[in-house]
Amino acid sequence: MYTAAFLATVLLHELAHALTALAVGVHPTLFNSHVDAPPAGPRPEILIALAGPVFSLAQGVAALVLAARGRSTGPGPYLGCFWGYSAL
């Protein structure tokens, strides 16, 4: 379960980089663990670089909020905290 969650968060993180690159007009190449994009200037490169960490932070906060709202027995809260920790 940990491996699947880790791979999902890495994929979403890299996808955020790739979608931001497309939004600023750069055509990226998505590899298995990173996004490679041709140089586009300082502003687009900063936006592309920040997209992944900002998305991961938002994903972690959302997972922690969901875990806090769903206080119950069973693996639910622990799974939410795990997703939050993985994303942060």
Side-chain angles (χ1 to χ4, degrees):
M1 184 185 259
Y2 177 80
T3 303
F6 177 75
L7 290 174
T9 57
V10 169
L11 179 65
L12 291 172
H13 174 97
E14 296 302 330
L15 193 58
H17 287 297
L19 291 175
T20 303
L22 287 173
V24 297
V26 176
H27 297 288
T29 303
L30 184 61
F31 292 102
N32 62 347
S33 63
H34 71 282
V35 174
D36 189 26
R43 187 174 189 278
E45 285 190 25
I46 290 171
L47 290 174
I48 294 168
L50 288 176
V54 169
F55 182 80
S56 292
L57 181 63
Q59 179 185 3
V61 169
L64 289 174
V65 167
L66 289 175
R69 292 185 71 209
R71 295 192 187 270
S72 64
T73 59
Y78 301 108
L79 187 60
C81 287
F82 166 75
W83 276 98
Y85 174 75
S86 295
L88 292 177

